[in-house]
Amino acid sequence: MKAARFHGKEDLRIEEVPEPVPGRGQVKLRNAYAGICGSDLHFYFFPESLPFSLDEPHPLTGARLPQILGHEFSGTVVETGEGVADVQVGDRCAVFPLAVSCGTCAACRRGLPFSCPLMGSLGSNAEGGGLSEFTVCDASQVHVLPDGVDLRMGALVEPMAVGWHAAARSGVEPGGSALVAGAGPIGIGTWFAFRARGVENVLVSEPSADRRALMAALGARVVDPVNEDLAGAIASLTDGDGVDAAVDAAGAGAAVSSALAGLAAGGRLVVAALHEHTMDFQPTGLMMGETGIVGAVGYRPEEFDAVIAAMAEGCYDTTGWVRELPLEGLVDALHSLRRGLGGKTLLRLG
């Protein structure tokens, strides 16, 4: 089969590799679509920034370079291993990529496997990944798609679940208000999640004119934080109170600072983006406003299902922000995304 295998910094090759065979409790998928994530950009351009070694076998999975990439993907079950009862050949699925965690560290004991230092994921540091024609994974990792949610949409479940988890971590109730800083795929997913959760009063802050136009076309209220008055836009949205919560989906210090400044008393900032650089900020504002900062990484299985259910209800619209390319266009797509191309890129695999 064809697969996109990462060999090292800026060395990603489309290669022929053996098809995987499902073992006990596993299923084999014919992959349909796979998305490119911001973490894939980190793999390709800055592997030295990753929180684990790619050169040594993973302690739990044994995976090492070369590694098939792709953790945002969908496919159809074509074979099941011994002992699989809840998934059938022909089922169309979105894949929950988390493969392993240690089960004993503080994060695992608290039910936070994505924060486990030994976390292993398909398309990252576990064998297999979505950027291939076939993948094998545990049957527990596949979430069957209902009628009305196609495989193209199924490949978006994973990144949309990241946004869903960020919105959930914000604590904003229906009727509340929120700021989303950054209109990349996670920012888009967070905006959709807020709306699906009954939070309509949402402002999206994004310096890129193309990304602002994309969000405006979806119906979002947008503001340019560089050339427009972000504080004024927040005041207008909230009658001067400030937003109940803000989500950093930008990964930039300026976005964090402006989001903190826009919070209402008792509000919360959710950091859902990777940051490549440190930043300075004045923490006295947290004390005076009794505001808080929390992180959000990954998602829970029930949030995966919540996104799928919201998709089935028509809460997600892919018009204008999702593009498709063949697998051979992957490297060019990585460079385009690094230059700030908006929207989401899906690779066609079937």
Side-chain angles (χ1 to χ4, degrees), residues 152 188 210-211 213-215 217-218 317-323 342-344:
R152 183 173 182 267
I188 294 171
D210 289 342
R211 291 185 175 188
L214 180 155
M215 291 302 304
L218 289 171
D317 180 1
T318 62
T319 304
W321 64 277
V322 178
R323 68 184 62 81
K344 186 69 178 177

Side-chain angles (χ1 to χ4, degrees), residues 33 65 85 182 194 286:
Y33 295 93
L65 295 183
F194 273 127
L286 300 179

